[in-house]
């Protein structure tokens, strides 16, 4: 029966030596190590125990036999030795999966016991003239803890299943267990991680205010079980856990022979974890884009702007200034380029952005105008139904294509690649939209 290592035991993520590159350097190191050891022990036999002790220390620190690593990489071992080493290392990684999951679940339960439950009790406190009411509100706590209680339930069940598989008399098969758990984790982890930035922002505000709320959190930190860890140290652990699953699965898969039945399940599990991580990142990006959109529209002077411009499928791509040319008149305009719309206006310090016009980009096209004595660095925006706009960059450099264009996928319905040229001119700055967004 396999035995899981103690929580907090040393871990290693190095690739198995048999899968490393050319071993000439390690082979030379191995030979020199043997030669030096022989010479030193011949000159001073009393040093022999010291060398033996040093090798043991290396073994403890690297969580694997240092000399065995060098011998395997140098080729000084048989096929049987390599397979034995691979099998032992694989069991160690399996044990690490169990032990780190146990430590993680213990931390989640500790978070609930030391922070979440006591703070909820404080929020339930009824206001009196003497007490002044609750220190925390449930709204604050909902923001800070989000759905951490659901994560605790799901991962506790996952640990129970892992532990059962680990203690089975046969070689543990973790692939199927992890793949199934990933399906349950996807939704709850996505919600938690997308909310994490707001939770951290609120904690920063509490710390900056330095009032009763922060003092109460400091008291919770002194709980013996907390071991001096603040609330942030617990809240970030679910964010870190998904990449940890990926690392452990990659290591485990690398140490599993291709002809074993477990390989297919491990590949499926790794694919599920990677897909979950990609989904979380995509949802977080969408949330950040939408928050950026709301912040930008909040600068508009018109009180009806949120209803007119905020949409879930709209993203701000570029923001800056261009010169609008019309019948010989030149007007410098604030230009906001969205994925489906161009909005232009003027900046007023007292009111914000006063919108002067908007152009749908569906079916729109852009053409670079030839330089003339009266118009240089001009660009024509042709929008449906046949309406045209002329925009002018301040310099030839701004009109060039030297700057990185926004991704084509951002422009829904706009003619490409001509449209990217407009985004390259007049000092419009990139708003950080990722490719494919």
């Amino acid at each position: 029966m396999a035995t899981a290592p103690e929580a907090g035991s040393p871990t290693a993520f190095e690739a198995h030596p048999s899968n490393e590159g050319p071993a000439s350097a390690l082979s030379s190191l191995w030979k020199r190590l043997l030669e030096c050891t022989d010479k030193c022990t011949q000159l001073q036999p009393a040093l022999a125990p010291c060398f033996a002790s040093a090798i043991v220390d290396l073994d403890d620190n690297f969580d694997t036999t240092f000399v065995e690593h060098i011998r395997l990489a140098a080729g000084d071992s048989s096929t049987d030795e390599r397979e034995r080493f691979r099998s032992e290392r694989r069991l160690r990684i399996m044990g690490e999966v169990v032990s780190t999951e146990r430590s993680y679940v213990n931390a989640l339960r500790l978070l609930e016991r030391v922070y979440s439950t006591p703070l909820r009790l404080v929020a339930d406190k009824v206001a009196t003239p003497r007490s002044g009411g609750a220190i925390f509100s449930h709204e604050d706590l909902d923001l800070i803890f989000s759905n951490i209680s659901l994560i605790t339930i799901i991962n506790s069940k996952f640990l129970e299943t892992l532990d059962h598989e680990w203690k089975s008399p046969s070689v543990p098969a973790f692939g199927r267990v992890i793949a199934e758990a990933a399906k349950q984790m996807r939704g709850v982890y996505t919600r938690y991680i997308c909310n994490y930035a707001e939770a951290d922002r609120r904690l920063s505000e509490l710390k900056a205010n330095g009032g009763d709320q922060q003092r109460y959190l400091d008291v919770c930190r002194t709980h013996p079980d907390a071991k001096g860890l603040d609330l942030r140290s617990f809240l970030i652990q679910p964010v870190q856990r998904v990449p940890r699953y990926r690392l452990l699965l990659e290591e485990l898969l690398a140490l599993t022979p291709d002809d074993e039945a477990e390989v297919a399940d491990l590949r499926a599990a790794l694919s599920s974890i990677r897909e979950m991580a990609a989904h979380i990142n995509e949802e977080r990006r969408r949330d950040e884009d939408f928050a950026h959109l709301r912040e930008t529209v909040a600068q508009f002077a018109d009180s009806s702007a949120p209803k007119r411009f905020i949409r879930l499928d709209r993203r701000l791509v570029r923001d800056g200034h261009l010169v609008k040319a019309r019948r010989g008149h030149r007007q410098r305009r604030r230009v906001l380029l969205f994925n489906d719309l161009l909005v232009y206006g003027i900046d007023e310090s007292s009111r914000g952005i006063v919108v002067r016009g908007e152009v749908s980009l569906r079916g729109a096209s852009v053409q670079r105008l030839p330089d003339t004595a009266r118009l240089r660095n001009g660009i024509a925006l042709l929008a449906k139904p046949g309406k045209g706009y002329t925009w002018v960059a301040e310099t030839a450099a701004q009109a060039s294509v030297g700057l990185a264009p926004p991704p084509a996928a951002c422009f829904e319905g706009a003619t490409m690649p001509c449209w990217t040229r407009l985004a390259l001119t007049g000092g419009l700055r990139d708003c950080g939209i990722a490719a494919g967004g």
Side-chain angles (χ1 to χ4, degrees):
M1 180 184 299
T3 303
E6 293 295 326
S9 61
T11 60
F13 293 104
E14 67 275 10
H16 188 269
S18 62
N19 292 332
E20 292 176 355
S24 58
L26 285 176
S27 178
S28 175
L29 177 61
W30 169 242
K31 292 176 181 177
R32 289 180 62 188
L33 179 61
L34 290 179
E35 290 172 1
C36 291
T37 302
D38 290 339
K39 289 180 180 179
C40 290
T41 52
Q42 287 173 10
L43 293 174
Q44 281 290 349
L47 293 178
C50 295
F51 283 106
S53 176
I55 294 298
V56 171
D57 288 341
L58 286 170
D59 184 32
D60 291 341
N61 290 331
F62 284 91
D63 191 35
T64 189
T65 307
F66 178 68
V67 174
E68 190 74 7
H69 268 282
I70 298 177
R71 290 182 64 241
L72 287 172
D76 296 338
S77 60
S78 66
T79 302
D80 289 343
E81 285 180 298
R82 288 176 180 271
E83 290 305 317
R84 174 185 57 78
F85 186 87
R86 184 187 294 267
S87 178
E88 291 176 354
R89 180 63 184 159
R90 182 183 171 196
L91 283 175
R92 288 185 183 183
I93 296 298
M94 288 181 176
E96 188 176 338
V97 171
V98 178
S99 66
T100 57
E101 187 66 21
R102 181 175 292 113
S103 297
Y104 173 56
V105 170
N106 287 340
L108 293 176
R109 292 169 177 168
L110 185 61
L111 169 64
E112 185 173 357
R113 183 169 69 252
V114 173
Y115 285 101
S116 180
T117 299
L119 293 179
R120 291 288 182 187
L121 292 174
V122 170
D124 287 333
K125 185 178 179 182
V126 178
T128 65
R130 188 172 183 179
S131 67
I135 299 176
F136 288 91
S137 68
H138 281 292
E139 288 77 13
D140 267 341
L141 299 182
D142 289 342
L143 175 62
I144 292 172
F145 293 106
S146 186
N147 61 337
I148 192 73
S149 59
L150 288 177
I151 291 179
T152 304
I153 293 172
I154 289 175
N155 280 85
S156 295
K157 180 62 177 177
F158 176 46
L159 174 61
E160 181 181 333
T161 308
L162 270 181
D163 207 30
H164 176 76
E165 185 66 32
W166 177 249
K167 292 176 180 177
S168 64
S170 58
V171 176
F174 284 169
R176 175 183 50 79
V177 175
I178 296 175
E180 187 63 31
K183 297 177 184 177
Q184 301 175 13
M185 293 178 185
R186 174 172 164 154
V188 293
Y189 272 81
T190 298
R191 178 183 169 190
Y192 182 87
I193 293 174
C194 288
N195 179 75
Y196 177 76
E198 281 298 302
D200 191 66
R201 179 191 59 78
R202 182 57 183 144
L203 284 177
S204 296
E205 291 175 353
L206 296 180
K207 185 175 182 179
N209 294 338
D212 291 340
Q213 294 170 320
Q214 181 58 39
R215 283 191 287 272
Y216 196 89
L217 291 176
D218 291 338
V219 170
C220 292
R221 184 176 180 176
T222 62
H223 191 290
D225 292 341
K227 298 180 181 179
L229 296 177
D230 63 4
L231 181 53
R232 266 198 180 94
S233 301
F234 290 98
L235 293 177
I236 198 173
Q237 293 197 35
V239 181
Q240 299 170 328
R241 191 58 186 164
V242 175
R244 178 76 161 177
Y245 288 138
R246 180 181 60 81
L247 288 171
L248 290 171
L249 279 171
E250 288 174 348
E251 181 84 358
L252 190 56
L253 187 58
L255 296 172
T256 303
D258 290 337
D259 57 355
E260 286 201 14
E262 173 71 354
V263 166
D265 287 339
L266 286 175
R267 287 173 179 165
L270 181 56
S271 177
S272 296
I273 292 296
R274 285 174 172 170
E275 194 278 333
M276 179 173 73
H279 173 74
I280 291 172
N281 289 336
E282 175 65 15
E283 289 301 311
R284 182 164 55 180
R285 184 191 66 79
R286 288 179 183 274
D287 284 353
E288 291 170 353
D289 290 348
F290 190 66
H292 191 190
L293 174 65
R294 292 173 63 92
E295 290 173 2
T296 303
V297 173
Q299 301 176 43
F300 290 2
D302 187 353
S303 60
S304 67
K307 292 182 180 180
R308 291 171 55 196
F309 296 111
I310 293 180
R311 287 174 29 181
L312 289 175
D313 60 346
R314 178 166 290 157
R315 297 173 296 283
L316 179 64
V317 180
R318 296 284 171 92
D319 181 4
H321 292 84
L322 290 174
V323 175
K324 185 172 180 287
R326 183 184 181 189
R327 296 176 182 176
H329 297 287
R330 300 293 180 92
Q331 299 169 320
R332 192 169 187 266
R333 293 291 185 242
R334 173 79 173 269
V335 178
L336 298 110
L337 179 62
F338 300 94
N339 59 311
D340 64 337
L341 186 71
L342 181 141
V343 177
Y344 61 92
I346 58 175
D347 292 312
E348 290 191 4
S349 58
S350 60
R351 300 176 60 195
I353 303 173
V354 179
V355 176
R356 288 289 189 247
E358 56 188 89
V359 184
S360 173
L361 300 184
R362 299 190 181 279
S365 63
V366 175
Q367 296 178 357
R368 177 68 184 273
L369 299 176
D371 288 344
T372 66
R374 298 182 59 187
L375 181 67
R376 301 181 63 83
N377 311 319
I379 290 183
L381 167 61
L382 305 177
K384 286 187 176 182
K387 186 173 177 60
Y389 300 82
T390 301
W391 298 96
V392 182
E394 294 180 359
T395 66
Q398 291 175 345
S400 71
V401 292
L403 300 176
C410 287
F411 300 94
E412 300 167 359
T415 302
M416 298 296 293
C418 293
W419 176 242
T420 59
R421 293 180 181 173
L422 182 61
L424 295 173
T425 63
L428 292 182
R429 64 179 182 274
D430 192 351
C431 291
I433 304 300

